[in-house]
């Protein structure tokens, strides 16, 4: 427990939140309490971001695009993340509310946008919770393949459901220590990689040999420069999936002590922390593991498929696979913990804007939205579908919905920020007066929006080169579902875009 704060503690700025508003995130209907500090927000986001995407998915990305192509892809998507996080930071410090960007979509743009964005984002994290439970069982099978993963699905589901019913300050401290294991592991790997590259391993000095043979870029589907570009563009979706979760730093704004101070600080440290760890890992993996290494594409979900383990095996360090497997286990469990937290707070945000049943905002005496936690956690039970072949196929299709949900969310955050800046201008409020002002505006937000939409529309372009009906739906089912939710809600409720003069900038606002 962190002794530096107590539940319900308010700063002078927070005491003025929502003086005339409904559903005040702290003193109104949902009774969430501001028990999170900047470092808790950072580790919740890190816990939700650094997981199987980096430890396992980066191997296939390296094989697809080559070391330089993969590195450029992760740096490029990192620049998109910077655009999204600074946009979110500007809004979240001005209006720190539970559910964050789903609330902004309803208030600033269109209630139907908030509905569609919120529900697909919630489903993405809740089904990812189920994925992490399955992954935990498979990782444990690395040590004993005779064990049934259903045992571990049940155990870990019960543990993380219980943890999310704890007071927010206890949850924040738990997640901080849990996520720190991943950070220490990556830093340790970077030090290990520097030593191996310098010649400590059995292969002697490596330098940039893997960039020369088999080469900096890998060809994918076709040959030549076209094949190299296809490989690079294909990896953008993998990189986006790996970075998904960085925006969680905004989800907790409604439960953060002194958000005007702590949210911008958390966003800056979270962005630079996550991007530097990701880029450094990809860079050193590309130095140690040639992109044509067969083990990169074997498709397993335990430590044997991790490029970190492959790098250690190539260097002749045999004990590392067991250590990495243990870290992989903590990685997916930490991510599972963040999944339930983020999904439950999205439900609170949806309910606050009348896009979900009102009972989801109810909290216990510790400020935990227990109905929202229970509903989100219940989706995790879909993990048991994997115990049968037919159920596993269903589960795979459910996971397809999450594949590009992050890019949909990032696009909507950018749209909300553009609308937010227009509303400020209409009200005569200078951005210089904001607690935190995003840099390079509005150009940086337009940059992020343009490339998020472009990647959304082209993420399945390989199916048009070699047509696959199942591949088409796997690539675009998220986008199709989002449009169905948006248009369906609009047809049922006949909602209209929020007029600029009617944009609500006062409810839940931090007064300066």
């Amino acid at each position: 427990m962190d002794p530096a704060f107590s539940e319900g503690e308010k700063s002078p700025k927070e005491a003025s939140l929502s003086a005339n508003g409904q559903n005040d995130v702290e003193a109104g209907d949902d009774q969430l309490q501001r028990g999170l500090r900047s470092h808790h927000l950072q580790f919740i986001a890190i816990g939700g971001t650094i997981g199987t995407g980096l430890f396992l998915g980066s191997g296939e990305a390296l094989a697809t695009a080559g070391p330089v192509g993969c590195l450029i892809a992760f740096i490029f998507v990192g620049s998109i993340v910077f655009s999204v996080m600074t946009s979110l930071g500007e809004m979240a410090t001005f209006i720190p509310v539970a559910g964050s960007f789903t609330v902004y979509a309803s208030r600033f743009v269109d209630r139907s946008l908030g509905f569609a964005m919120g529900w697909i984002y919630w489903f993405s994290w809740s089904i990812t919770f189920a994925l992490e439970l399955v992954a935990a069982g498979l990782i444990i099978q690395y040590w004993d393949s005779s064990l049934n993963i259903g045992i571990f699905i049940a155990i870990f589901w019960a543990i993380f459901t219980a943890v999310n019913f704890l007071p927010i300050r206890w949850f924040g401290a738990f997640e901080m220590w849990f996520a720190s294991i991943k950070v220490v592991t990556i830093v340790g790997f970077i030090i290990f990689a520097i030593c191996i590259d310098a010649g400590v391993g059995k292969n002697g000095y490596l330098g940039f040999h893997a960039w020369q043979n088999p080469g900096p870029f890998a060809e994918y589907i076709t040959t030549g420069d076209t094949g190299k570009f296809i490989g690079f563009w294909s990896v953008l979706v993998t990189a986006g999936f790996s970075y998904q979760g960085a925006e969680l730093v905004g989800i907790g704004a409604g439960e953060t002590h002194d958000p005007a101070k702590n949210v911008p600080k958390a966003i800056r440290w979270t962005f630079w922390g996550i991007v530097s760890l990701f880029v450094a890992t990809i860079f050193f993996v590309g130095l140690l593991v040639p992109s044509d290494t067969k083990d990169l594409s074997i498709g397993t979900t335990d430590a044997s498929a991790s490029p970190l383990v492959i790098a250690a095996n190539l260097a002749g360090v045999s004990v590392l696979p067991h250590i990495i497997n243990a870290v992989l286990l903590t990685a997916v469990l930490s991510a599972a913990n963040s999944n339930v937290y983020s999904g439950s707070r999205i439900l609170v945000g949806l309910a606050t804007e009348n896009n979900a049943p009102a009972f989801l905002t109810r909290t216990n005496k510790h400020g935990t939205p227990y109905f929202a936690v229970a509903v989100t956690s219940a989706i995790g039970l879909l993990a048991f579908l994997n115990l049968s072949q037919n159920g596993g196929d269903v589960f795979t299709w459910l996971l397809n919905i999450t594949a590009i949900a992050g890019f949909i969310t990032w696009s909507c955050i950018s749209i909300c920020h553009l609308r937010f800046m227009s509303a400020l201008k209409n009200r005569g409020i200078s951005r210089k007066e904001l607690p935190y002002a995003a840099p390079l505006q509005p150009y940086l937000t337009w940059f992020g929006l343009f490339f998020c939409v472009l990647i959304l529309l082209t993420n399945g372009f390989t199916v048009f080169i070699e047509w696959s009906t199942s591949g088409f739906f796997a690539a675009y089912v998220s986008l199709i579902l989002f449009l169905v939710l948006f248009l369906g809600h609009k047809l049922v409720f006949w909602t209209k875009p929020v007029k600029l003069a009617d944009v609500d900038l006062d409810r839940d606002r931090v007064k300066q």
Side-chain angles (χ1 to χ4, degrees):
M1 186 186 307
D2 193 336
F5 58 88
S6 60
E7 292 181 84
E9 181 182 2
K10 289 187 181 183
S11 69
K13 287 183 179 179
E14 292 173 280
S16 64
L17 278 170
S18 298
N20 59 347
Q22 316 105 304
N23 295 324
D24 177 12
V25 293
E26 185 172 4
D29 294 340
D30 45 276
Q31 297 291 320
L32 297 179
Q33 297 179 350
R34 296 188 178 274
L36 295 177
R37 295 283 184 169
S38 172
H39 57 280
H40 293 118
L41 282 182
Q42 294 169 43
F43 279 100
I44 288 173
I46 288 172
T49 305
I50 300 178
T52 54
L54 179 63
F55 287 115
L56 294 178
S58 57
E60 188 173 351
L62 176 63
T64 301
V68 176
C70 186
L71 182 63
I72 293 173
F74 271 80
I75 292 174
F76 180 71
V77 176
S79 69
I80 297 174
V81 174
F82 178 70
S83 165
V84 172
M85 290 189 68
T86 53
S87 297
L88 178 59
E90 183 169 296
M91 296 184 289
T93 51
F94 191 74
I95 303 178
V97 62
S100 187
F101 36 84
T102 58
V103 174
Y104 305 146
S106 293
R107 294 188 190 179
F108 302 164
V109 186
D110 190 313
R111 186 182 159 202
S112 294
L113 182 66
F115 175 86
M117 174 192 185
W119 279 110
I120 198 167
Y121 190 73
W122 169 79
F123 182 78
S124 171
W125 281 117
S126 57
I127 199 66
T128 301
F129 173 49
L131 167 65
E132 304 293 7
L133 294 177
V134 173
L138 293 173
I139 287 169
I140 291 174
Q141 282 186 330
Y142 177 79
W143 291 301
D144 188 346
S145 59
S146 66
L147 295 173
N148 189 314
I149 66 170
I151 299 171
F152 302 103
I153 290 173
I155 291 173
F156 292 131
W157 181 88
I159 290 173
F160 291 113
T161 299
V163 167
N164 275 270
F165 278 108
L166 294 175
I168 186 62
R169 55 179 179 157
W170 294 4
F171 170 85
F174 178 85
E175 181 61 19
M176 181 182 71
W177 291 109
F178 217 7
S180 64
I181 297 173
K182 293 187 279 192
V183 177
V184 171
T185 300
I186 293 175
V187 172
F189 171 75
I190 291 170
I191 296 171
F192 166 81
I194 293 172
C195 295
I196 297 300
D197 194 61
V200 173
K202 69 177 183 179
N203 297 317
Y205 176 73
L206 297 177
F208 288 85
H209 178 73
W211 287 26
Q212 299 169 344
N213 183 25
F217 296 92
E219 297 174 344
Y220 185 59
I221 295 182
T222 187
T223 58
D225 292 340
T226 302
K228 293 175 182 178
F229 178 78
I230 291 174
F232 160 75
W233 199 260
S234 299
V235 169
L236 291 180
V237 175
T238 303
F241 180 77
S242 298
Y243 280 119
Q244 185 176 341
E247 71 283 348
L248 292 181
V249 73
I251 295 290
E255 296 173 276
T256 305
H257 171 71
D258 196 0
K261 173 185 175 183
N262 285 319
V263 172
K265 182 179 178 182
I267 283 178
R268 281 193 294 268
W269 279 101
T270 300
F271 169 76
W272 290 112
I274 289 174
V275 171
S276 59
L277 290 173
F278 271 54
V279 170
T281 302
I282 296 299
F283 172 74
F284 284 109
V285 164
L287 291 181
L288 303 185
V289 183
S291 60
D292 58 356
T293 303
K294 292 182 179 180
D295 289 345
L296 290 172
S297 303
I298 59 177
T300 59
T301 54
D302 57 30
S304 60
S306 173
L308 281 66
V309 170
I310 296 171
N313 286 334
L314 291 175
V317 184
S318 58
V319 71
L320 202 58
H322 295 286
I323 298 174
I324 294 296
N325 204 57
V327 172
L328 273 174
L329 182 60
T330 63
V332 299
L333 294 179
S334 172
N337 197 34
S338 286
N339 295 159
V340 180
Y341 171 80
S342 55
S344 63
R345 271 47 177 191
I346 287 292
L347 282 184
V348 171
L350 284 166
T352 299
E353 297 302 310
N354 300 316
N355 285 325
F359 73 86
L360 292 171
T361 63
R362 295 178 187 171
T363 60
N364 59 22
K365 64 181 181 180
H366 301 298
T368 302
Y370 53 92
F371 278 121
V373 169
V375 170
T376 302
S377 179
I379 302 299
L381 296 174
L382 291 176
F384 286 106
L385 286 173
N386 282 272
L387 299 182
S388 67
Q389 178 60 47
N390 293 334
D393 293 339
V394 173
F395 187 72
T396 300
W397 274 100
L398 291 175
L399 282 179
N400 288 334
I401 296 176
T402 72
I404 58 170
F407 283 107
I408 293 174
T409 300
W410 294 351
S411 299
C412 292
I413 290 173
S414 298
I415 292 170
C416 291
H417 187 231
L418 292 171
R419 189 67 169 171
F420 173 72
M421 289 189 290
S422 297
L424 289 176
K425 186 176 181 180
N426 185 67
R427 292 274 292 270
I429 301 174
S430 171
R431 292 182 62 248
K432 295 180 181 179
E433 300 174 14
L434 300 179
Y436 168 76
L440 304 174
Q441 296 302 326
Y443 311 106
L444 188 61
T445 300
W446 277 112
F447 165 81
L449 177 60
F450 174 79
F451 281 105
C452 280
V453 172
L454 184 62
I455 293 171
L456 270 175
L457 296 178
T458 61
N459 86 92
F461 73 99
T462 55
V463 304
F464 298 104
I465 299 173
E466 295 179 0
W467 178 254
S468 166
T469 303
S470 61
F472 173 82
F473 283 103
Y476 292 105
V477 66
S478 298
L479 196 56
I480 294 169
L481 179 59
F482 175 77
L483 293 174
V484 168
L485 288 170
F486 177 79
L487 296 174
H489 185 272
K490 189 164 282 292
L491 288 173
V492 171
F493 294 97
W494 291 99
T495 60
K496 295 181 179 179
V498 179
K499 295 180 180 178
L500 202 58
D502 296 333
V503 170
D504 185 358
L505 295 178
D506 297 313
R507 188 165 27 131
D508 305 311
R509 172 183 171 184
V510 172
K511 303 295 183 181
Q512 296 297 301

